[in-house]
Amino acid sequence: MHGITLQDIYAAKSRISPPVRHTPLIPSPYLSELTGRDVRLKLETMQDIGAFKLRGAVNKILSLSDEERACGVIAVSTGNHGRGVAYAAKRLGIKAVICMSHLVPKNKVDGIKALGAEVVLSGRSQDDAEVEAAKLIKEHGYVEVHPFDDHHVIAGQGTAGIEILEDMPELDTAIIPLSGGGLFAGIALALKASNPDIKLVGVTMERGPAMIDSIAAGKPVPVEEFPSLADSLGGGIGLDNKLSFKLCRDLIDESVLVSEEEIAEGMRTLYREDRIVAEGGASVGVAALLQKRVKSSGDHVALLISGRNVDMDKHAKIIAGGMPELE
Ligand SMILES: *Cc1c(COP(=O)(O)O)cnc(C)c1O
């Protein structure tokens, strides 16, 4: 058993606010018209670090003992998790070290440094960064804050699910970006525990869908990493995955994969129709709806817009109809 309960998610909710914000759930007239459903956008772009990752990071750090806090925390991150951990650690006055691969876009690295954390770059993949982190943990005794495979992180991400249901009790379908599955697992737990009939749709990019491949294989499998507009969905789920794999496998009703061009069109649509700046990883759900690839037939749909941390030049190029070079 995973042992994460609805009570854990409610406890997280009262623990993390502030600094975590109850973000708005706003109607999208364009997507509603297009699909004939009531489609609303959950704007995690409006958290302080510009992404939902603050929820899990704050919940984890506030759950540490005094001794653990004294050691400081370390995280392996493709960007937004690092921002969440750095921000939370700074607010609590503890040291944070963030490890990531050289593939992570520069704006994300700079953003984390600006939040006061120490950044360590190594290798070309999340796995390389993990090896480096393990070494630093041994040497310095830091406490690892995992980006998705952690009880407190999953419970923290799940608080977004409680908020959606508070704002939209008639909800019957939630569409959620999927990578390591902490966000999906937390929200799915919160929603299914409240109403088992709610359908959960996980969306990710064709280029390296680690969780979907793993569910198909029946166990966590490695994934080849490619540059993608959805860089925040990159990386594997960990071959020794303990929590998020089983939760996603058991709670997912439908999965959708989207191409790079479809992700770009999702970003354009969010900007053109709703005036929202969203990063690639946050636009996959919009992409899935635009392509009419969501089969679940619900009328009341929440679409999680998970973050806004995209390089502005890259964003401008996409909005203008182009495709940027991928890093
Ligand atoms: C981390 C992240 C995701 C995916 O979350 P997981 O818990 O790894 O599935 C989606 N969107 C954005 C913007 C992210 O930063």
Side-chain angles (χ1 to χ4, degrees):
M1 270 307 284
H2 53 77
I4 304 172
T5 64
L6 187 58
Q7 284 68 35
D8 293 332
I9 303 176
Y10 273 101
K13 190 165 187 293
S14 55
R15 192 181 291 131
I16 64 180
S17 170
V20 172
R21 191 168 292 141
H22 180 136
T23 54
L25 184 71
I26 64 159
S28 172
Y30 178 80
L31 290 173
S32 299
E33 176 75 28
L34 183 84
T35 59
R37 310 176 189 194
D38 168 18
V39 179
R40 299 191 214 169
L41 310 175
K42 174 70 170 166
L43 297 183
E44 287 301 296
T45 49
M46 295 182 73
Q47 292 294 354
D48 273 2
I49 59 152
F52 73 88
K53 290 280 200 318
L54 195 56
R55 296 176 184 270
V58 171
N59 192 44
K60 175 71 180 182
I61 290 177
L62 287 177
S63 303
L64 296 178
S65 67
D66 290 345
E67 292 77 27
E68 288 171 321
R69 287 187 205 192
C71 285
V73 293
I74 188 166
V76 182
S77 171
T78 56
N80 286 332
H81 176 59
R83 288 172 67 85
V85 172
Y87 183 92
K90 191 165 184 204
R91 288 232 2 176
L92 294 167
I94 71 172
K95 180 184 168 80
V97 178
I98 311 297
C99 300
M100 59 183 87
S101 95
H102 288 287
L103 287 183
V104 175
K106 186 172 182 303
N107 67 311
K108 293 199 171 183
V109 177
D110 290 347
I112 286 172
K113 284 186 183 156
L115 292 171
E118 187 183 320
V119 173
V120 179
L121 296 175
S122 72
R124 308 278 303 162
S125 73
Q126 180 110 340
D127 291 345
D128 293 339
E130 261 157 31
V131 170
E132 180 70 24
K135 199 182 103 201
L136 294 173
I137 289 168
K138 229 181 214 157
E139 285 171 12
H140 303 281
Y142 302 134
V143 178
E144 181 170 17
V145 183
H146 197 277
F148 53 81
D149 199 25
D150 178 278
H151 181 109
H152 291 106
V153 170
I154 292 172
Q157 320 301 32
T159 58
I162 293 176
E163 292 174 9
I164 292 171
L165 218 54
E166 279 175 10
D167 294 342
M168 192 181 193
E170 66 275 39
L171 175 82
D172 53 35
T173 310
I175 303 178
I176 304 165
L178 176 63
S179 177
L183 178 67
F184 187 94
I187 292 180
L189 272 170
L191 294 179
K192 295 257 190 198
S194 309
N195 175 0
D197 292 335
I198 294 174
K199 294 283 180 266
L200 272 297
V201 182
V203 190
T204 194
M205 76 283 208
E206 284 173 3
R207 286 194 172 177
M211 182 61 80
I212 303 303
D213 284 356
S214 296
I215 291 173
K219 62 174 196 301
V221 292
V223 66
E224 200 181 340
E225 287 186 54
F226 300 100
S228 168
L229 282 183
D231 51 272
S232 56
L233 303 185
I237 68 166
L239 297 182
D240 60 346
N241 189 294
K242 291 172 193 64
L243 291 170
S244 68
F245 168 69
K246 290 196 186 83
L247 285 166
C248 289
R249 181 194 62 194
D250 295 348
L251 295 169
I252 197 165
D253 292 295
E254 185 185 344
S255 63
V256 181
L257 301 185
V258 291
S259 70
E260 295 301 307
E261 192 40 64
E262 289 163 359
I263 294 169
E265 194 51 30
M267 294 170 79
R268 286 178 202 124
T269 301
L270 276 174
Y271 188 73
R272 193 177 60 227
E273 305 296 339
D274 299 294
R275 292 295 189 270
I276 289 165
V277 174
E279 58 187 276
S283 307
V284 293
V286 177
L289 275 185
L290 288 175
Q291 303 304 320
K292 303 204 175 344
R293 233 178 278 143
V294 176
K295 303 270 182 306
S296 298
S297 59
D299 289 331
H300 303 282
V301 180
L303 202 54
L304 200 117
I305 309 299
S306 48
R308 65 164 187 226
N309 295 313
V310 53
D311 177 83
M312 284 316 292
D313 292 339
K314 204 191 252 186
H315 190 260
K317 193 159 191 181
I318 294 166
I319 297 310
M323 194 57 142
E325 283 221 4
L326 298 175
E327 296 154 63

